[in-house]
Amino acid sequence: MSDWFTVIPPLLAVAIVLWKREVILALLTAIFSSELLVLLNKGDDANSLAGFAIAGIERIVNVFADGGNTRILIFSILVGALLAFMRYSGGVSATVNFLVEKGLSGNARRARFIAFFTGVFIFIESNLSVLMSGILSRGLFDKFNMSRARLAYIIDSTSAPICILLLLNGWGAYVLALIGGYELNESSVSTLIQTIPLNFYALITLSIVLYTIIADKTHGPLKHAEQNQTKSESKVELEIEPSKPRFMLVPLFVMSFSMVGFMFLTGNGNFIEGSGSKSVLYATSLACIVAYAMMISTKKFSHKKMTEIGFSGMSELLPLVMIVLFSLALGASLKQLGTGIFISGIVAESLPYFLIPAVLFIAGGLMSFSTGTSWGTFAILIPIGMPLVVNLGLPAPLILAAILGGGVFGDHCSPISDTTAVSSVASGCDLLEHVRTQLPYALVGGGLTIIAYLIAGLVMI
């Protein structure tokens, strides 16, 4: 079978999303077509036609065989319960009123800055970053009649770039593990630190976000979403009678600080070796318990009522949780099919040296876009890029930064990315609307980044 067939499943997914505006159908089509190609590649055509549906179902089931995947899915469901607890307690409405009265968020610009800086300060883990930013800012954006699409853009375009720049987190530990086996001129840690000023996509994306916040300018589909914002759509978080801010702030602080503690705990005292998926699940679970206990203590809520609230919150997020599940299954299937390896193999062809950073960035973007995972992109491209550094004498920080930036760029553009789905969950925005409104900004940032890597290639290589 031609290697070009390996790109059919992700292309089908994107085509169906654009045509039918139906993500779950697109993901299921991509999964089953990928499984069919995997079986056909083994040479047994009869069994392939008979068994690809079963293989697709088993691929989805096998997502739960990985503890990290299962924790992400449970975390995504628990987020719904936590959001519901804070909303029905009146904590969200009270927090919004408190921030406005104290002048901390007295206008729309300050509300946007709160969403941005929350993401900046919580660089421990990208899912936690978007979750905290989204939960804290949803009510504020409603208060000032700003669209949830705008909130989703701000938190999604802040979290991953910050996590890939300030690498004192699970991202940094993961990348260090990937580059640790290569004989570079400097230590792995030193190389990683030097990627910060060279990670042009992350820096450009953060600059664009700040521009939209400070200048209060939106463009393209996001501008249209802002203009179509209506009162009936925007006040969901503020319908509940306000109580006390502590019903929202205490669970949030518990989740934030316990996340740090759990990173140390899961890393046996070493923060950067901690498990992000374990820590965010444990922290969210603890926050749910605290929110539950606080509401029960008021005597206004019974255990039965709290159970109803929790499950109603979970049910609101089930469609997005299914999208995360199918995204993980598709990523595993495409990995076996070899989609990422094929795309990255194009990079290995003969190229002028100065083009290599730009081409690696583009390859990383295509791979991350088609597979929905930036970490999987790192795992495939770093073993291609680092030998180029060693054998051709290329600057390691530049090559590594191009790979890291490409992974984040494709992830920002992809409708099948789990990070995109979590950002939609956190902001309360429709997934396809988030993809559609963020895409123009990501493409502008990507185009500027390609130009930057072409110039850097000419200067540094």
Side-chain angles (χ1 to χ4, degrees), residues 10 334 338-347 360-382 384 403 406-407 410-411 414 416:
L334 293 177
T339 303
I341 294 174
F342 167 68
I343 294 175
S344 62
I346 299 172
V347 181
L360 282 174
F361 174 79
I362 295 170
L366 290 172
M367 194 182 308
S368 182
F369 176 82
S370 60
T371 60
T373 168
S374 54
W375 283 35
T377 299
F378 303 157
I380 294 170
L381 275 187
I382 286 177
I384 292 175
I403 293 172
D411 200 63
S414 178
I416 60 175

PDB file of all heavy atoms in Angstrom, residues 10 334 338-347 360-382 384 403 406-407 410-411 414 416:
ATOM      1  N   PRO A  10      -7.080  11.193   8.491  1.00  0.00           N
ATOM      2  CA  PRO A  10      -7.199  12.570   9.010  1.00  0.00           C
ATOM      3  C   PRO A  10      -7.814  13.533   8.004  1.00  0.00           C
ATOM      4  O   PRO A  10      -8.546  14.453   8.387  1.00  0.00           O
ATOM      5  CB  PRO A  10      -5.756  12.957   9.361  1.00  0.00           C
ATOM      6  CG  PRO A  10      -4.891  12.007   8.622  1.00  0.00           C
ATOM      7  CD  PRO A  10      -5.674  10.737   8.501  1.00  0.00           C
ATOM      8  N   LEU A 334      -3.741   6.081  14.140  1.00  0.00           N
ATOM      9  CA  LEU A 334      -2.857   6.713  13.153  1.00  0.00           C
ATOM     10  C   LEU A 334      -1.392   6.423  13.442  1.00  0.00           C
ATOM     11  O   LEU A 334      -0.564   6.342  12.528  1.00  0.00           O
ATOM     12  CB  LEU A 334      -3.103   8.226  13.135  1.00  0.00           C
ATOM     13  CG  LEU A 334      -4.467   8.684  12.614  1.00  0.00           C
ATOM     14  CD1 LEU A 334      -4.601  10.194  12.717  1.00  0.00           C
ATOM     15  CD2 LEU A 334      -4.679   8.235  11.174  1.00  0.00           C
ATOM     16  N   GLY A 338       1.041   4.702  10.780  1.00  0.00           N
ATOM     17  CA  GLY A 338       2.291   5.321  10.353  1.00  0.00           C
ATOM     18  C   GLY A 338       2.116   6.675   9.699  1.00  0.00           C
ATOM     19  O   GLY A 338       3.000   7.134   8.975  1.00  0.00           O
ATOM     20  N   THR A 339       0.984   7.349   9.982  1.00  0.00           N
ATOM     21  CA  THR A 339       0.728   8.663   9.379  1.00  0.00           C
ATOM     22  C   THR A 339       1.811   9.674   9.749  1.00  0.00           C
ATOM     23  O   THR A 339       2.356  10.377   8.887  1.00  0.00           O
ATOM     24  CB  THR A 339      -0.640   9.192   9.835  1.00  0.00           C
ATOM     25  OG1 THR A 339      -1.652   8.250   9.481  1.00  0.00           O
ATOM     26  CG2 THR A 339      -0.940  10.536   9.183  1.00  0.00           C
ATOM     27  N   GLY A 340       2.147   9.728  11.024  1.00  0.00           N
ATOM     28  CA  GLY A 340       3.140  10.691  11.481  1.00  0.00           C
ATOM     29  C   GLY A 340       4.515  10.422  10.897  1.00  0.00           C
ATOM     30  O   GLY A 340       5.241  11.350  10.515  1.00  0.00           O
ATOM     31  N   ILE A 341       4.882   9.145  10.828  1.00  0.00           N
ATOM     32  CA  ILE A 341       6.201   8.780  10.288  1.00  0.00           C
ATOM     33  C   ILE A 341       6.290   9.159   8.812  1.00  0.00           C
ATOM     34  O   ILE A 341       7.317   9.648   8.339  1.00  0.00           O
ATOM     35  CB  ILE A 341       6.459   7.273  10.484  1.00  0.00           C
ATOM     36  CG1 ILE A 341       6.571   6.960  11.982  1.00  0.00           C
ATOM     37  CG2 ILE A 341       7.708   6.828   9.749  1.00  0.00           C
ATOM     38  CD1 ILE A 341       6.678   5.482  12.289  1.00  0.00           C
ATOM     39  N   PHE A 342       5.199   8.952   8.074  1.00  0.00           N
ATOM     40  CA  PHE A 342       5.204   9.308   6.656  1.00  0.00           C
ATOM     41  C   PHE A 342       5.386  10.806   6.459  1.00  0.00           C
ATOM     42  O   PHE A 342       6.195  11.252   5.648  1.00  0.00           O
ATOM     43  CB  PHE A 342       3.907   8.850   5.988  1.00  0.00           C
ATOM     44  CG  PHE A 342       3.698   9.427   4.627  1.00  0.00           C
ATOM     45  CD1 PHE A 342       4.521   9.066   3.570  1.00  0.00           C
ATOM     46  CD2 PHE A 342       2.690  10.361   4.395  1.00  0.00           C
ATOM     47  CE1 PHE A 342       4.345   9.615   2.304  1.00  0.00           C
ATOM     48  CE2 PHE A 342       2.504  10.918   3.142  1.00  0.00           C
ATOM     49  CZ  PHE A 342       3.340  10.534   2.100  1.00  0.00           C
ATOM     50  N   ILE A 343       4.611  11.601   7.225  1.00  0.00           N
ATOM     51  CA  ILE A 343       4.716  13.056   7.088  1.00  0.00           C
ATOM     52  C   ILE A 343       6.116  13.532   7.459  1.00  0.00           C
ATOM     53  O   ILE A 343       6.715  14.368   6.778  1.00  0.00           O
ATOM     54  CB  ILE A 343       3.662  13.746   7.976  1.00  0.00           C
ATOM     55  CG1 ILE A 343       2.252  13.432   7.461  1.00  0.00           C
ATOM     56  CG2 ILE A 343       3.872  15.267   8.000  1.00  0.00           C
ATOM     57  CD1 ILE A 343       1.145  13.961   8.342  1.00  0.00           C
ATOM     58  N   SER A 344       6.652  12.968   8.550  1.00  0.00           N
ATOM     59  CA  SER A 344       7.978  13.399   8.978  1.00  0.00           C
ATOM     60  C   SER A 344       9.064  12.930   8.015  1.00  0.00           C
ATOM     61  O   SER A 344      10.124  13.552   7.920  1.00  0.00           O
ATOM     62  CB  SER A 344       8.272  12.861  10.383  1.00  0.00           C
ATOM     63  OG  SER A 344       8.278  11.450  10.377  1.00  0.00           O
ATOM     64  N   GLY A 345       8.807  11.837   7.301  1.00  0.00           N
ATOM     65  CA  GLY A 345       9.805  11.338   6.354  1.00  0.00           C
ATOM     66  C   GLY A 345      10.063  12.307   5.223  1.00  0.00           C
ATOM     67  O   GLY A 345      11.144  12.299   4.625  1.00  0.00           O
ATOM     68  N   ILE A 346       9.065  13.126   4.921  1.00  0.00           N
ATOM     69  CA  ILE A 346       9.236  14.136   3.871  1.00  0.00           C
ATOM     70  C   ILE A 346      10.363  15.099   4.240  1.00  0.00           C
ATOM     71  O   ILE A 346      11.102  15.594   3.390  1.00  0.00           O
ATOM     72  CB  ILE A 346       7.913  14.907   3.663  1.00  0.00           C
ATOM     73  CG1 ILE A 346       6.815  13.942   3.229  1.00  0.00           C
ATOM     74  CG2 ILE A 346       8.081  16.030   2.666  1.00  0.00           C
ATOM     75  CD1 ILE A 346       5.435  14.558   3.176  1.00  0.00           C
ATOM     76  N   VAL A 347      10.491  15.335   5.564  1.00  0.00           N
ATOM     77  CA  VAL A 347      11.515  16.267   6.050  1.00  0.00           C
ATOM     78  C   VAL A 347      12.911  15.721   5.800  1.00  0.00           C
ATOM     79  O   VAL A 347      13.874  16.479   5.631  1.00  0.00           O
ATOM     80  CB  VAL A 347      11.316  16.523   7.556  1.00  0.00           C
ATOM     81  CG1 VAL A 347      12.344  17.507   8.093  1.00  0.00           C
ATOM     82  CG2 VAL A 347       9.919  17.040   7.800  1.00  0.00           C
ATOM     83  N   LEU A 360      10.764  21.703   9.374  1.00  0.00           N
ATOM     84  CA  LEU A 360      10.415  20.943  10.572  1.00  0.00           C
ATOM     85  C   LEU A 360       9.194  21.554  11.267  1.00  0.00           C
ATOM     86  O   LEU A 360       8.336  20.833  11.781  1.00  0.00           O
ATOM     87  CB  LEU A 360      11.599  20.897  11.539  1.00  0.00           C
ATOM     88  CG  LEU A 360      12.714  19.924  11.207  1.00  0.00           C
ATOM     89  CD1 LEU A 360      13.886  20.096  12.167  1.00  0.00           C
ATOM     90  CD2 LEU A 360      12.219  18.480  11.253  1.00  0.00           C
ATOM     91  N   PHE A 361       9.124  22.867  11.278  1.00  0.00           N
ATOM     92  CA  PHE A 361       7.952  23.537  11.874  1.00  0.00           C
ATOM     93  C   PHE A 361       6.693  23.180  11.088  1.00  0.00           C
ATOM     94  O   PHE A 361       5.657  22.849  11.686  1.00  0.00           O
ATOM     95  CB  PHE A 361       8.162  25.056  11.881  1.00  0.00           C
ATOM     96  CG  PHE A 361       6.954  25.819  12.338  1.00  0.00           C
ATOM     97  CD1 PHE A 361       6.651  25.937  13.693  1.00  0.00           C
ATOM     98  CD2 PHE A 361       6.089  26.406  11.417  1.00  0.00           C
ATOM     99  CE1 PHE A 361       5.517  26.631  14.123  1.00  0.00           C
ATOM    100  CE2 PHE A 361       4.953  27.106  11.832  1.00  0.00           C
ATOM    101  CZ  PHE A 361       4.675  27.213  13.190  1.00  0.00           C
ATOM    102  N   ILE A 362       6.765  23.245   9.774  1.00  0.00           N
ATOM    103  CA  ILE A 362       5.609  22.915   8.934  1.00  0.00           C
ATOM    104  C   ILE A 362       5.220  21.444   9.120  1.00  0.00           C
ATOM    105  O   ILE A 362       4.033  21.111   9.262  1.00  0.00           O
ATOM    106  CB  ILE A 362       5.898  23.212   7.451  1.00  0.00           C
ATOM    107  CG1 ILE A 362       6.096  24.727   7.245  1.00  0.00           C
ATOM    108  CG2 ILE A 362       4.786  22.693   6.558  1.00  0.00           C
ATOM    109  CD1 ILE A 362       6.619  25.098   5.874  1.00  0.00           C
ATOM    110  N   ALA A 363       6.227  20.552   9.113  1.00  0.00           N
ATOM    111  CA  ALA A 363       5.947  19.122   9.297  1.00  0.00           C
ATOM    112  C   ALA A 363       5.308  18.863  10.651  1.00  0.00           C
ATOM    113  O   ALA A 363       4.369  18.069  10.773  1.00  0.00           O
ATOM    114  CB  ALA A 363       7.240  18.316   9.160  1.00  0.00           C
ATOM    115  N   GLY A 364       5.814  19.549  11.685  1.00  0.00           N
ATOM    116  CA  GLY A 364       5.238  19.405  13.017  1.00  0.00           C
ATOM    117  C   GLY A 364       3.794  19.878  13.050  1.00  0.00           C
ATOM    118  O   GLY A 364       2.932  19.240  13.671  1.00  0.00           O
ATOM    119  N   GLY A 365       3.526  20.997  12.357  1.00  0.00           N
ATOM    120  CA  GLY A 365       2.163  21.501  12.301  1.00  0.00           C
ATOM    121  C   GLY A 365       1.216  20.553  11.588  1.00  0.00           C
ATOM    122  O   GLY A 365       0.112  20.285  12.064  1.00  0.00           O
ATOM    123  N   LEU A 366       1.662  20.003  10.444  1.00  0.00           N
ATOM    124  CA  LEU A 366       0.830  19.058   9.702  1.00  0.00           C
ATOM    125  C   LEU A 366       0.575  17.786  10.508  1.00  0.00           C
ATOM    126  O   LEU A 366      -0.540  17.264  10.547  1.00  0.00           O
ATOM    127  CB  LEU A 366       1.502  18.705   8.372  1.00  0.00           C
ATOM    128  CG  LEU A 366       1.550  19.809   7.313  1.00  0.00           C
ATOM    129  CD1 LEU A 366       2.405  19.375   6.136  1.00  0.00           C
ATOM    130  CD2 LEU A 366       0.135  20.154   6.853  1.00  0.00           C
ATOM    131  N   MET A 367       1.613  17.313  11.165  1.00  0.00           N
ATOM    132  CA  MET A 367       1.496  16.077  11.931  1.00  0.00           C
ATOM    133  C   MET A 367       0.567  16.272  13.129  1.00  0.00           C
ATOM    134  O   MET A 367      -0.312  15.447  13.404  1.00  0.00           O
ATOM    135  CB  MET A 367       2.889  15.635  12.398  1.00  0.00           C
ATOM    136  CG  MET A 367       2.962  14.213  12.900  1.00  0.00           C
ATOM    137  SD  MET A 367       4.632  13.846  13.456  1.00  0.00           S
ATOM    138  CE  MET A 367       5.555  14.340  12.024  1.00  0.00           C
ATOM    139  N   SER A 368       0.761  17.354  13.845  1.00  0.00           N
ATOM    140  CA  SER A 368      -0.066  17.629  15.014  1.00  0.00           C
ATOM    141  C   SER A 368      -1.506  17.892  14.606  1.00  0.00           C
ATOM    142  O   SER A 368      -2.448  17.464  15.287  1.00  0.00           O
ATOM    143  CB  SER A 368       0.502  18.830  15.771  1.00  0.00           C
ATOM    144  OG  SER A 368      -0.235  19.101  16.933  1.00  0.00           O
ATOM    145  N   PHE A 369      -1.700  18.576  13.485  1.00  0.00           N
ATOM    146  CA  PHE A 369      -3.046  18.845  12.989  1.00  0.00           C
ATOM    147  C   PHE A 369      -3.768  17.552  12.619  1.00  0.00           C
ATOM    148  O   PHE A 369      -4.945  17.364  12.943  1.00  0.00           O
ATOM    149  CB  PHE A 369      -2.978  19.763  11.774  1.00  0.00           C
ATOM    150  CG  PHE A 369      -4.309  20.035  11.133  1.00  0.00           C
ATOM    151  CD1 PHE A 369      -5.145  21.012  11.648  1.00  0.00           C
ATOM    152  CD2 PHE A 369      -4.727  19.324  10.023  1.00  0.00           C
ATOM    153  CE1 PHE A 369      -6.388  21.269  11.069  1.00  0.00           C
ATOM    154  CE2 PHE A 369      -5.955  19.566   9.442  1.00  0.00           C
ATOM    155  CZ  PHE A 369      -6.786  20.542   9.957  1.00  0.00           C
ATOM    156  N   SER A 370      -3.057  16.649  11.953  1.00  0.00           N
ATOM    157  CA  SER A 370      -3.702  15.437  11.444  1.00  0.00           C
ATOM    158  C   SER A 370      -3.876  14.360  12.505  1.00  0.00           C
ATOM    159  O   SER A 370      -4.741  13.494  12.373  1.00  0.00           O
ATOM    160  CB  SER A 370      -2.899  14.867  10.262  1.00  0.00           C
ATOM    161  OG  SER A 370      -1.578  14.540  10.668  1.00  0.00           O
ATOM    162  N   THR A 371      -3.056  14.389  13.543  1.00  0.00           N
ATOM    163  CA  THR A 371      -3.163  13.369  14.587  1.00  0.00           C
ATOM    164  C   THR A 371      -3.807  13.902  15.866  1.00  0.00           C
ATOM    165  O   THR A 371      -4.235  13.114  16.711  1.00  0.00           O
ATOM    166  CB  THR A 371      -1.777  12.792  14.946  1.00  0.00           C
ATOM    167  OG1 THR A 371      -0.922  13.850  15.425  1.00  0.00           O
ATOM    168  CG2 THR A 371      -1.133  12.144  13.736  1.00  0.00           C
ATOM    169  N   GLY A 372      -3.872  15.232  16.016  1.00  0.00           N
ATOM    170  CA  GLY A 372      -4.518  15.816  17.184  1.00  0.00           C
ATOM    171  C   GLY A 372      -3.672  15.790  18.439  1.00  0.00           C
ATOM    172  O   GLY A 372      -4.178  16.004  19.530  1.00  0.00           O
ATOM    173  N   THR A 373      -2.371  15.564  18.307  1.00  0.00           N
ATOM    174  CA  THR A 373      -1.526  15.523  19.502  1.00  0.00           C
ATOM    175  C   THR A 373      -0.190  16.195  19.261  1.00  0.00           C
ATOM    176  O   THR A 373       0.514  15.867  18.296  1.00  0.00           O
ATOM    177  CB  THR A 373      -1.284  14.067  19.971  1.00  0.00           C
ATOM    178  OG1 THR A 373      -0.255  14.043  20.957  1.00  0.00           O
ATOM    179  CG2 THR A 373      -0.893  13.165  18.823  1.00  0.00           C
ATOM    180  N   SER A 374       0.166  17.133  20.135  1.00  0.00           N
ATOM    181  CA  SER A 374       1.479  17.775  20.029  1.00  0.00           C
ATOM    182  C   SER A 374       2.555  16.880  20.638  1.00  0.00           C
ATOM    183  O   SER A 374       3.674  16.806  20.115  1.00  0.00           O
ATOM    184  CB  SER A 374       1.462  19.136  20.724  1.00  0.00           C
ATOM    185  OG  SER A 374       1.013  19.024  22.050  1.00  0.00           O
ATOM    186  N   TRP A 375       2.237  16.179  21.720  1.00  0.00           N
ATOM    187  CA  TRP A 375       3.234  15.316  22.355  1.00  0.00           C
ATOM    188  C   TRP A 375       3.634  14.161  21.437  1.00  0.00           C
ATOM    189  O   TRP A 375       4.798  13.773  21.379  1.00  0.00           O
ATOM    190  CB  TRP A 375       2.703  14.777  23.697  1.00  0.00           C
ATOM    191  CG  TRP A 375       2.754  15.797  24.790  1.00  0.00           C
ATOM    192  CD1 TRP A 375       2.548  17.142  24.678  1.00  0.00           C
ATOM    193  CD2 TRP A 375       3.046  15.574  26.174  1.00  0.00           C
ATOM    194  NE1 TRP A 375       2.679  17.757  25.894  1.00  0.00           N
ATOM    195  CE2 TRP A 375       2.971  16.827  26.832  1.00  0.00           C
ATOM    196  CE3 TRP A 375       3.338  14.433  26.926  1.00  0.00           C
ATOM    197  CZ2 TRP A 375       3.202  16.969  28.190  1.00  0.00           C
ATOM    198  CZ3 TRP A 375       3.551  14.580  28.293  1.00  0.00           C
ATOM    199  CH2 TRP A 375       3.490  15.827  28.915  1.00  0.00           C
ATOM    200  N   GLY A 376       2.660  13.601  20.714  1.00  0.00           N
ATOM    201  CA  GLY A 376       2.986  12.548  19.760  1.00  0.00           C
ATOM    202  C   GLY A 376       3.875  13.065  18.642  1.00  0.00           C
ATOM    203  O   GLY A 376       4.768  12.367  18.151  1.00  0.00           O
ATOM    204  N   THR A 377       3.646  14.317  18.252  1.00  0.00           N
ATOM    205  CA  THR A 377       4.480  14.961  17.236  1.00  0.00           C
ATOM    206  C   THR A 377       5.914  15.102  17.731  1.00  0.00           C
ATOM    207  O   THR A 377       6.874  14.828  16.988  1.00  0.00           O
ATOM    208  CB  THR A 377       3.903  16.347  16.888  1.00  0.00           C
ATOM    209  OG1 THR A 377       2.593  16.182  16.363  1.00  0.00           O
ATOM    210  CG2 THR A 377       4.777  17.065  15.874  1.00  0.00           C
ATOM    211  N   PHE A 378       6.080  15.519  18.984  1.00  0.00           N
ATOM    212  CA  PHE A 378       7.423  15.625  19.556  1.00  0.00           C
ATOM    213  C   PHE A 378       8.131  14.267  19.526  1.00  0.00           C
ATOM    214  O   PHE A 378       9.318  14.173  19.206  1.00  0.00           O
ATOM    215  CB  PHE A 378       7.368  16.122  21.003  1.00  0.00           C
ATOM    216  CG  PHE A 378       6.685  17.443  21.201  1.00  0.00           C
ATOM    217  CD1 PHE A 378       6.149  17.784  22.435  1.00  0.00           C
ATOM    218  CD2 PHE A 378       6.572  18.352  20.155  1.00  0.00           C
ATOM    219  CE1 PHE A 378       5.513  19.005  22.628  1.00  0.00           C
ATOM    220  CE2 PHE A 378       5.944  19.574  20.333  1.00  0.00           C
ATOM    221  CZ  PHE A 378       5.405  19.898  21.576  1.00  0.00           C
ATOM    222  N   ALA A 379       7.394  13.220  19.869  1.00  0.00           N
ATOM    223  CA  ALA A 379       7.982  11.878  19.960  1.00  0.00           C
ATOM    224  C   ALA A 379       8.468  11.387  18.605  1.00  0.00           C
ATOM    225  O   ALA A 379       9.428  10.607  18.528  1.00  0.00           O
ATOM    226  CB  ALA A 379       6.967  10.898  20.540  1.00  0.00           C
ATOM    227  N   ILE A 380       7.836  11.846  17.529  1.00  0.00           N
ATOM    228  CA  ILE A 380       8.228  11.399  16.187  1.00  0.00           C
ATOM    229  C   ILE A 380       9.303  12.303  15.583  1.00  0.00           C
ATOM    230  O   ILE A 380      10.278  11.829  14.981  1.00  0.00           O
ATOM    231  CB  ILE A 380       6.998  11.364  15.260  1.00  0.00           C
ATOM    232  CG1 ILE A 380       6.017  10.278  15.746  1.00  0.00           C
ATOM    233  CG2 ILE A 380       7.409  11.091  13.815  1.00  0.00           C
ATOM    234  CD1 ILE A 380       4.675  10.318  15.048  1.00  0.00           C
ATOM    235  N   LEU A 381       9.150  13.608  15.746  1.00  0.00           N
ATOM    236  CA  LEU A 381      10.052  14.541  15.063  1.00  0.00           C
ATOM    237  C   LEU A 381      11.383  14.765  15.773  1.00  0.00           C
ATOM    238  O   LEU A 381      12.397  15.019  15.112  1.00  0.00           O
ATOM    239  CB  LEU A 381       9.359  15.889  14.863  1.00  0.00           C
ATOM    240  CG  LEU A 381       8.471  16.033  13.628  1.00  0.00           C
ATOM    241  CD1 LEU A 381       7.991  17.463  13.480  1.00  0.00           C
ATOM    242  CD2 LEU A 381       9.206  15.595  12.367  1.00  0.00           C
ATOM    243  N   ILE A 382      11.396  14.702  17.098  1.00  0.00           N
ATOM    244  CA  ILE A 382      12.667  14.904  17.807  1.00  0.00           C
ATOM    245  C   ILE A 382      13.707  13.842  17.417  1.00  0.00           C
ATOM    246  O   ILE A 382      14.882  14.180  17.195  1.00  0.00           O
ATOM    247  CB  ILE A 382      12.441  14.963  19.337  1.00  0.00           C
ATOM    248  CG1 ILE A 382      11.802  16.313  19.692  1.00  0.00           C
ATOM    249  CG2 ILE A 382      13.752  14.795  20.108  1.00  0.00           C
ATOM    250  CD1 ILE A 382      11.447  16.484  21.163  1.00  0.00           C
ATOM    251  N   ILE A 384      14.060  12.621  14.628  1.00  0.00           N
ATOM    252  CA  ILE A 384      14.504  12.990  13.283  1.00  0.00           C
ATOM    253  C   ILE A 384      15.375  14.241  13.341  1.00  0.00           C
ATOM    254  O   ILE A 384      16.425  14.326  12.692  1.00  0.00           O
ATOM    255  CB  ILE A 384      13.291  13.236  12.360  1.00  0.00           C
ATOM    256  CG1 ILE A 384      12.554  11.926  12.107  1.00  0.00           C
ATOM    257  CG2 ILE A 384      13.729  13.868  11.043  1.00  0.00           C
ATOM    258  CD1 ILE A 384      11.274  12.080  11.319  1.00  0.00           C
ATOM    259  N   ILE A 403      10.524  22.307  16.214  1.00  0.00           N
ATOM    260  CA  ILE A 403       9.695  21.111  16.407  1.00  0.00           C
ATOM    261  C   ILE A 403       8.625  21.364  17.463  1.00  0.00           C
ATOM    262  O   ILE A 403       7.446  21.035  17.267  1.00  0.00           O
ATOM    263  CB  ILE A 403      10.584  19.916  16.804  1.00  0.00           C
ATOM    264  CG1 ILE A 403      11.501  19.531  15.644  1.00  0.00           C
ATOM    265  CG2 ILE A 403       9.727  18.721  17.233  1.00  0.00           C
ATOM    266  CD1 ILE A 403      12.557  18.490  16.007  1.00  0.00           C
ATOM    267  N   GLY A 406       5.995  23.796  16.137  1.00  0.00           N
ATOM    268  CA  GLY A 406       5.153  23.156  15.129  1.00  0.00           C
ATOM    269  C   GLY A 406       4.082  22.280  15.752  1.00  0.00           C
ATOM    270  O   GLY A 406       2.933  22.257  15.302  1.00  0.00           O
ATOM    271  N   GLY A 407       4.455  21.561  16.814  1.00  0.00           N
ATOM    272  CA  GLY A 407       3.480  20.712  17.499  1.00  0.00           C
ATOM    273  C   GLY A 407       2.348  21.514  18.094  1.00  0.00           C
ATOM    274  O   GLY A 407       1.175  21.133  17.991  1.00  0.00           O
ATOM    275  N   GLY A 410       0.003  23.066  15.130  1.00  0.00           N
ATOM    276  CA  GLY A 410      -0.963  22.117  14.576  1.00  0.00           C
ATOM    277  C   GLY A 410      -2.071  21.791  15.555  1.00  0.00           C
ATOM    278  O   GLY A 410      -3.237  21.626  15.179  1.00  0.00           O
ATOM    279  N   ASP A 411      -1.707  21.717  16.828  1.00  0.00           N
ATOM    280  CA  ASP A 411      -2.688  21.427  17.877  1.00  0.00           C
ATOM    281  C   ASP A 411      -3.724  22.546  17.976  1.00  0.00           C
ATOM    282  O   ASP A 411      -4.907  22.294  18.189  1.00  0.00           O
ATOM    283  CB  ASP A 411      -1.955  21.272  19.212  1.00  0.00           C
ATOM    284  CG  ASP A 411      -2.777  20.510  20.234  1.00  0.00           C
ATOM    285  OD1 ASP A 411      -3.076  19.334  19.985  1.00  0.00           O
ATOM    286  OD2 ASP A 411      -3.109  21.083  21.274  1.00  0.00           O
ATOM    287  N   SER A 414      -6.217  22.123  15.001  1.00  0.00           N
ATOM    288  CA  SER A 414      -6.865  20.830  14.795  1.00  0.00           C
ATOM    289  C   SER A 414      -8.222  20.722  15.490  1.00  0.00           C
ATOM    290  O   SER A 414      -8.340  20.961  16.692  1.00  0.00           O
ATOM    291  CB  SER A 414      -5.953  19.713  15.306  1.00  0.00           C
ATOM    292  OG  SER A 414      -6.585  18.460  15.149  1.00  0.00           O
ATOM    293  N   ILE A 416      -9.588  17.882  15.989  1.00  0.00           N
ATOM    294  CA  ILE A 416      -9.593  16.575  16.649  1.00  0.00           C
ATOM    295  C   ILE A 416      -8.585  16.534  17.803  1.00  0.00           C
ATOM    296  O   ILE A 416      -8.252  15.465  18.296  1.00  0.00           O
ATOM    297  CB  ILE A 416      -9.302  15.436  15.649  1.00  0.00           C
ATOM    298  CG1 ILE A 416      -7.924  15.604  14.986  1.00  0.00           C
ATOM    299  CG2 ILE A 416     -10.386  15.370  14.587  1.00  0.00           C
ATOM    300  CD1 ILE A 416      -7.526  14.446  14.090  1.00  0.00           C
TER     301      ILE A 416
END
